[in-house]
Amino acid sequence: MKVVILAGGLGTRISEETHLKPKPMIEIGDRPILWHIMKIYSFYGFNEFIICLGYKGRIVKEYFANYLLNEADVTFDFRKKNGMSSHSAPAEPWRITLADTGSDTMTGGRIRRIRRYVGSEPFLLTYGDGVTDADIGELVRFHQSHGGLATVTAVQPTGRFGSLTIAGDGHVARFNEKPQGDGGWVNGGFFVLQPEVFDLLEADATVFEKEPLETLAATGQLQAYRHNGFWYAMDTLRDKNHLEQLWSTGAAPWKLW
């Protein structure tokens, strides 16, 4: 099953970084968050990726074109044509298709443009800015069990502020530091989709989260896989710093490998 990653957006709310690079190439540790997402899928045996590029897509291409050069020991022999050999190469079992899906294309349009690379089989889909410790294998099995066209991973993000439980006389009975959200479930990405979903994607201007998902929901074809564990989206510099802190202290829940 192929993995499609949406990596073409502008990322305007983290412009401190994205004026130089696309959002999925912002680094957590010394690796792009895109790499972290791919490692999550690879841990569960999903190693064929189709990455939808847009804004500054050449930077993603250059990263993977130079991946072996940057990860392995290399010897350059200028006496020979193409005289470069690598040693101790990383053992990533990945096959990666980098597809230019347009700088202004919406999410549904990007997915529509890579139909030829997916073919007529179910596929995985996620955004290029979120990490999780969700069991992707279990997610796929859940999708296969219900027979619908689409599964979305539903999550309850941690609140941004501590909450107070206030007693009748006004004293604070309990303080909760950054509790789970207000009880509502949100779209956490990490979809499983049947190929029939492509038929709902009409043009570059199609927003996947609007008409296509709304239609799937209205027709009973969209199921939610509830994940109560870790999920975090990197939307702002504050989010980036939080993920960086988790990674640098060895407390990153998404590091399953």
Side-chain angles (χ1 to χ4, degrees), residues 37 61 66 74 77 84 162-163 172 176 178 200 226 230 250:
I37 295 166
K61 289 183 178 180
N66 294 317
V74 294
D77 188 344
M84 187 190 91
S163 68
V172 176
N176 303 301
K178 294 183 180 178
L200 301 175
R226 294 181 178 89
F230 178 84

Side-chain angles (χ1 to χ4, degrees), residues 44-251:
Y44 290 101
F46 300 101
N47 293 303
E48 187 164 354
F49 299 94
I50 302 165
I51 302 176
C52 301
L53 304 180
Y55 173 70
K56 294 186 180 294
R58 63 178 177 76
I59 294 176
V60 184
K61 289 183 178 180
E62 289 168 0
Y63 175 77
F64 286 109
N66 294 317
Y67 191 79
L68 190 62
L69 175 65
N70 292 327
E71 297 295 323
D73 295 339
V74 294
T75 296
F76 293 98
D77 188 344
F78 296 113
R79 299 169 298 179
K80 300 178 181 179
K81 186 177 181 180
N82 299 323
M84 187 190 91
S85 55
S86 61
H87 317 278
S88 305
E92 306 289 6
W94 296 346
R95 184 177 190 271
I96 306 167
T97 298
L98 302 171
D100 183 358
T101 57
S103 58
D104 299 318
T105 309
M106 297 293 102
T107 50
R110 294 190 190 284
I111 300 165
R112 176 176 173 270
R113 285 202 187 193
I114 52 85
R115 183 173 191 168
R116 60 183 173 138
Y117 299 121
V118 172
S120 58
E121 60 185 50
F123 62 102
L124 297 153
L125 169 75
T126 198
Y127 305 105
D129 61 359
V131 288
T132 186
D133 63 356
D135 186 325
I136 304 299
E138 185 178 282
L139 166 65
V140 170
R141 289 188 290 274
F142 172 79
H143 174 79
Q144 293 169 336
S145 72
H146 64 67
L149 295 182
T151 299
V152 58
T153 298
V155 297
Q156 291 180 299
T158 300
R160 292 180 66 87
F161 306 101
S163 68
L164 304 176
T165 300
I166 303 174
D169 62 359
H171 82 271
V172 176
R174 187 167 68 249
F175 177 82
N176 303 301
E177 173 62 12
K178 294 183 180 178
Q180 288 295 102
D182 60 5
W185 295 88
V186 303
N187 167 16
F190 295 92
F191 295 88
V192 189
L193 304 173
Q194 295 298 120
E196 290 85 351
V197 170
F198 283 115
D199 297 331
L200 301 175
L201 310 175
E202 296 182 355
D204 281 357
T206 301
V207 178
F208 181 60
E209 299 77 12
K210 295 288 188 179
E211 289 85 356
L213 285 184
E214 290 169 359
T215 298
L216 288 166
T219 56
Q221 293 295 324
L222 177 63
Q223 294 284 328
Y225 173 77
R226 294 181 178 89
H227 176 58
N228 292 297
F230 178 84
W231 174 89
Y232 205 90
M234 185 185 65
D235 202 33
T236 65
L237 186 59
R238 182 178 184 272
D239 297 326
K240 188 261 188 192
N241 291 337
H242 175 65
L243 292 173
E244 180 76 41
Q245 191 269 338
L246 290 175
W247 182 262
S248 65
T249 58

Side-chain angles (χ1 to χ4, degrees), residues 29-45:
D30 60 351
R31 311 280 188 154
I33 193 170
L34 176 62
W35 177 89
H36 291 260
I37 295 166
M38 294 169 72
K39 290 290 282 187
I40 293 168
Y41 280 106
S42 188
F43 177 79
Y44 290 101

